[in-house]
């Protein structure tokens, strides 16, 4: 194993869409300043082998809480699932599902754990799988704002979209998780499946972020290249742009379709022509990571370049504090919005 790669660091200095923010500010000063509410996007049936819990947790880790729920219900930890991990440092509401066949549902009113409240118990016919949610509602308070006018301008800008970056928390300090993926690809054995998943996701996400960052630098974040793979906003199907005629550009302007970047894996890039060449050349210096992702069974996918926060509002609590509310689709990061607002 190359000792230099053992110490290699991966820069997380991705380009800003609107330039580096001119105002500083603090968030997550308390759990109450960072509220997240999960939106499954479907109704639970009220019957079936899975007991679903609508849980409010303050300052608690999702995985740890899942294990505590399993202990209380006297079932294996693997029988507890959830749609997504939620921030520990926050006030969050999310669903857990516990596989408990039979008619007897444990009395969860007896479950006691600091910072945790079970708000609802309902059965469902199948488990809630990872990623099986429509999105999340966020309510975030930024404090100690240094420049109110600069932030007010930024609050207007982000409503037009922000880079759809994977958040810095995915990569670890100084890109540690990406480096861990690289050393894993070079032969280091990682027995822990959860860690393997984290490292693979970090490596794949890093390549995606590199494409967005480059397109911002090259002023191509809204301007399509011939052959760009675009996604229908409504149904998430894809096709390459084989012309850049006015009608095509209007569809992009109306946001019927959106530009995408690759999530690397096995198979051919779905972009064509100029866009395919751009992506191929840009990521050519990461061939070892590309090969590792392919070898580990990941497939070529796409993800939108820009993220449009929905239902966005901002209310100033005082001259140095503002509360921001917005909704993001599943898999998108609130930190991608916040990094365009304050430093």
């Amino acid at each position: 194993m190359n000792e230099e790669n053992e110490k290699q660091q991966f820069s997380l200095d991705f380009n800003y869409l609107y330039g580096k923010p001119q105002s500083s500010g603090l968030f997550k000063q308390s759990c109450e300043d960072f509220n997240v509410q999960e939106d499954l996007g479907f109704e639970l049936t009220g019957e079936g082998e899975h007991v679903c819990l609508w849980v409010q947790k303050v300052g608690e880790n999702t995985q740890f809480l899942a294990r505590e729920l399993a202990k209380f219900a006297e079932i294996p930890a693997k029988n507890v699932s959830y749609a997504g991990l939620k921030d520990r440092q926050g006030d969050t509401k999310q669903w857990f599902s516990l596989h408990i066949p039979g008619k007897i549902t444990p009395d969860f009113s007896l479950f006691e754990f600091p910072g945790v409240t079970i708000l609802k118990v309902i059965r469902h016919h199948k488990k809630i799988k990872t990623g099986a949610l429509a999105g999340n509602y966020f309510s975030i308070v930024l404090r100690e704002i240094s420049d109110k006018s600069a932030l007010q301008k930024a609050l207007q800008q982000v409503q037009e979209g922000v880079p759809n970056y994977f958040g810095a928390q995915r990569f670890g300090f100084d890109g540690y998780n990406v480096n861990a993926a690289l050393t894993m690809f070079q032969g280091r054995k990682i027995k822990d499946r959860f860690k393997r998943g984290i490292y693979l996701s970090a490596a794949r996400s890093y390549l995606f972020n590199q494409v967005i960052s480059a397109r911002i630098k090259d002023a191509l974040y809204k301007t399509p290249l011939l052959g760009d793979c675009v996604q229908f906003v409504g149904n998430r199907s894809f096709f390459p742009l084989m012309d850049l005629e006015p009608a095509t550009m209007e569809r992009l302007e109306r946001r019927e379709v959106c530009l995408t970047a690759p999530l690397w894996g096995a198979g051919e890039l779905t972009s064509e022509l100029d866009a395919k060449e751009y992506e191929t050349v840009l990521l050519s210096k990461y061939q070892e990571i590309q090969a590792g992702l392919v070898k580990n069974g990941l497939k070529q996918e796409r993800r939108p370049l820009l993220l449009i926060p929905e239902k966005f509002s901002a209310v100033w609590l005082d001259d140095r504090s503002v509360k921001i509310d917005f909704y993001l689709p599943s898999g998108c990061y609130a930190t991608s919005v916040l990094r365009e607002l304050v430093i």
Side-chain angles (χ1 to χ4, degrees), residues 211 214-215 218 220 224-229 240-242 260 262 264 268-285 287 290 302:
V211 176
R215 290 194 69 139
D218 296 336
L220 293 171
L225 294 164
L226 191 62
D228 252 325
C229 188
L241 292 178
M242 303 310 287
T260 67
W264 203 268
E268 285 291 317
L269 280 167
T270 47
S271 53
E272 299 282 356
L273 305 171
D274 296 348
K276 185 173 185 177
E277 182 180 2
Y278 181 90
E279 293 170 357
T280 301
V281 172
L282 175 65
L283 297 178
S284 60
K285 60 183 176 181
Q287 290 183 15
Q290 291 174 341
R302 307 290 296 194

Side-chain angles (χ1 to χ4, degrees), residues 33-310:
D33 282 354
F34 193 82
N35 287 265
V36 186
Q37 180 169 313
E38 197 170 73
D39 172 29
L40 283 181
F42 59 87
E43 294 295 325
L44 300 175
T45 59
E47 57 185 25
E49 293 190 344
H50 300 269
V51 176
C52 298
L53 309 177
W54 180 231
V55 178
Q56 179 178 16
K57 62 180 186 63
V58 180
E60 193 48 76
N61 177 282
T62 298
Q63 295 165 300
F64 180 78
L65 179 54
R67 291 193 292 270
E68 292 301 310
L69 290 169
K71 289 179 186 177
F72 178 82
E74 298 181 340
I75 60 174
K78 66 180 181 179
N79 286 15
V80 180
S81 60
Y82 41 82
L85 298 173
K86 296 291 182 286
D87 295 74
R88 177 173 186 171
Q89 191 177 345
D91 183 340
T92 69
K93 294 178 182 177
Q94 70 176 118
W95 286 99
F96 290 81
S97 70
L98 290 71
H99 188 209
I100 308 177
K103 296 182 178 180
I104 299 176
T105 299
D107 184 359
F108 285 99
S109 68
L110 300 177
F111 179 81
E112 293 184 359
F113 202 86
V116 175
T117 305
I118 296 179
L119 303 171
K120 189 175 183 179
V121 181
I122 182 173
R123 282 191 173 263
H124 191 52
H125 67 283
K126 59 182 179 180
K127 78 174 186 177
I128 296 175
K129 296 181 180 180
T130 301
L133 73 162
N136 293 287
Y137 294 93
F138 294 90
S139 183
I140 300 170
V141 177
L142 300 178
R143 300 191 185 275
E144 303 298 322
I145 303 302
S146 65
D147 189 329
K148 182 177 180 179
S149 61
L151 180 56
Q152 189 63 44
K153 179 181 178 182
L155 288 168
Q156 295 297 317
Q157 290 174 322
V158 298
Q159 295 180 59
E160 295 300 310
V162 299
N164 195 17
Y165 288 132
F166 287 96
Q169 61 266 47
R170 173 160 290 204
F171 305 112
F173 182 73
D174 278 339
Y176 171 84
N177 292 340
V178 187
N179 191 63
L182 183 59
T183 57
M184 183 173 72
F185 298 154
Q186 293 167 346
R188 174 180 287 176
K189 302 297 183 183
I190 307 293
K191 295 181 180 179
D192 188 319
R193 288 185 61 190
F194 181 73
K195 283 186 177 180
R196 283 179 59 84
I198 287 177
Y199 298 157
L200 289 171
S201 293
R204 196 185 200 199
S205 301
Y206 191 77
L207 300 191
F208 175 85
N209 279 15
Q210 288 294 332
V211 176
I212 295 186
S213 189
R215 290 194 69 139
I216 291 173
K217 177 178 177 290
D218 296 336
L220 293 171
Y221 57 90
K222 283 189 176 180
T223 303
L225 294 164
L226 191 62
D228 252 325
C229 188
V230 297
Q231 173 186 320
F232 281 107
V233 174
N235 61 21
R236 299 193 177 186
S237 60
F238 301 92
F239 67 94
L241 292 178
M242 303 310 287
D243 71 74
L244 300 178
E245 298 297 324
T248 299
M249 303 301 284
E250 286 176 14
R251 295 180 77 183
L252 283 165
E253 188 67 26
R254 292 196 301 267
R255 294 175 179 161
E256 292 179 16
V257 295
C258 61
L259 298 173
T260 67
L263 291 168
W264 203 268
E268 285 291 317
L269 280 167
T270 47
S271 53
E272 299 282 356
L273 305 171
D274 296 348
K276 185 173 185 177
E277 182 180 2
Y278 181 90
E279 293 170 357
T280 301
V281 172
L282 175 65
L283 297 178
S284 60
K285 60 183 176 181
Y286 301 110
Q287 290 183 15
E288 195 170 6
I289 290 179
Q290 291 174 341
L293 293 171
V294 171
K295 186 177 179 180
N296 279 272
L298 283 80
K299 307 297 183 185
Q300 282 284 350
E301 297 179 284
R302 307 290 296 194
R303 175 179 165 99
L305 281 174
L306 292 184
L307 169 63
I308 313 294
E310 301 173 35

Side-chain angles (χ1 to χ4, degrees), residues 305-320:
L305 281 174
L306 292 184
L307 169 63
I308 313 294
E310 301 173 35
K311 303 174 183 176
F312 190 95
S313 68
V315 176
W316 287 90
L317 306 178
D318 55 53
D319 283 343
R320 302 195 67 191

